[in-house]
Amino acid sequence: MKLVLLGPPGAGKGTQAAMLVERFAIPQISTGDMLRAAVREQTAMGIKAKEYMDAGGLVPDEVVIGIVRERLQLKDCKDGFILDGFPRTVPQADALQQTLADLGKDLDAVISLQVDIEALVERLTGRRSCADCGKGYHIKFDPPTTADICDACSGKLIQRDDDQEATIRNRMAVYHEQTAPLEDYYQQAKLLKSVDGMADISVVQEQILGILQAD
Ligand code: ADP
Ligand code: ADP
Ligand code: ZN
């Protein structure tokens, strides 16, 4: 199963990807997670990427394309993968096609999560994640059993630096300018499957599984 999850910040890509990982035993490739790891490790790439991420802009195409190209060549991708947060621009989508063609692979589907803008802001401001294992939560829609503590590993829940309202607005604008055109791109490639991302987390998951089974 070779999938792309498409949708604005807060649409539920990471949440749905984590559930699909368990179901299909294929890796989640989140460029956001990979970039945040590089920021934490203070690699040269991480230091540069942080400026763009803090401003809510996109990290340059050549940087993310390079990361994904390397990642897709690792052995664990041989039976499939879930791309979460990549591609985000038309050049990234073109590069993905080229990389997959080089590897003799093809995408099975691009799942596009549709969510209203007001809901996105509420999702992002309430988003938390575990500092130790990365598991995602929402203070209202997907709360941990004990406030601020991870159910899976008892780690501390933290808020991302870029989940502040001013940065969120910028990220939405960037999404509309640079990423939304990918809906047409994948529609034309006959890969696009739209899903109502406003439903509860488990209902969205069922819709996605329904699409994948019908494929
Ligand atoms: P979200 O899940 O809220 O959409 P991500 O974790 O995917 O956010 O990305 C966080 C930030 O990392 C983005 O705002 C951007 O700066 C950078 N980033 C992630 N993926 C990409 C990408 N494919 N191209 C460019 N920048 C990216
Ligand atoms: P993305 O990766 O697309 O930026 P996330 O998966 O991180 O989005 O979800 C953003 C926030 O919204 C998280 O706090 C998550 O728990 C919550 N969330 C995800 N899906 C839903 C949903 N269907 N209904 C309500 N909240 C959701
Ligand atoms: Zn944890």
Side-chain angles (χ1 to χ4, degrees):
M1 189 75 67
K2 294 173 280 303
L3 292 182
V4 167
L5 294 181
L6 192 63
K13 303 180 297 295
T15 303
Q16 295 301 326
M19 296 166 84
L20 294 169
V21 162
E22 299 223 333
R23 175 88 184 209
F24 294 107
I26 51 177
Q28 168 186 10
I29 302 180
S30 160
T31 41
D33 285 349
M34 291 161 94
L35 289 167
R36 278 185 291 279
V39 170
R40 270 196 308 278
E41 288 156 20
Q42 297 200 301
T43 65
M45 185 188 74
I47 291 166
K48 243 174 86 188
K50 188 174 188 328
E51 288 174 32
Y52 297 98
M53 296 168 80
D54 284 348
L58 293 182
V59 173
D61 283 338
E62 61 272 20
V63 175
V64 261
I65 288 169
I67 298 180
V68 172
R69 193 171 275 151
E70 271 184 31
R71 182 67 188 83
L72 285 173
Q73 294 181 31
L74 299 187
K75 267 211 201 87
D76 64 341
C77 294
K78 79 174 167 26
D79 296 328
F81 50 80
I82 303 153
L83 282 166
D84 156 15
F86 182 96
R88 259 179 156 94
T89 65
V90 170
Q92 290 180 21
D94 286 338
L96 175 61
Q97 274 198 328
Q98 186 59 57
T99 300
L100 292 177
D102 292 346
L103 294 168
K105 292 179 176 171
D106 241 330
L107 288 176
D108 293 302
V110 175
I111 309 270
S112 171
L113 297 169
Q114 308 285 329
V115 179
D116 299 346
I117 176 107
E118 308 86 69
L120 293 173
V121 176
E122 191 182 11
R123 285 188 187 182
L124 291 172
T125 50
R127 171 157 68 182
R128 300 291 183 273
S129 58
C130 176
D132 293 338
C133 76
K135 186 170 161 50
Y137 295 88
H138 190 282
I139 52 172
K140 187 162 145 197
F141 304 126
D142 190 13
T145 309
T146 310
D148 299 324
I149 304 289
C150 177
D151 289 346
C153 80
S154 301
K156 194 169 162 264
L157 301 191
I158 53 169
Q159 186 171 25
R160 269 168 50 176
D161 290 343
D162 57 349
D163 279 345
Q164 311 293 335
E165 217 161 324
T167 319
I168 289 172
R169 263 193 293 275
N170 206 15
R171 285 157 65 204
M172 293 302 163
V174 167
Y175 176 81
H176 284 291
E177 275 165 30
Q178 310 232 53
T179 311
L182 293 181
E183 296 214 352
D184 275 349
Y185 182 103
Y186 286 120
Q187 178 76 53
Q188 276 169 30
K190 299 194 167 35
L191 287 169
L192 193 77
K193 312 276 179 189
S194 288
V195 165
D196 174 17
M198 292 294 287
D200 284 350
I201 292 174
S202 61
V203 174
V204 176
Q205 180 75 183
E206 279 165 25
Q207 290 183 64
I208 294 175
L209 292 175
I211 286 170
L212 298 180
Q213 268 143 25
D215 248 16

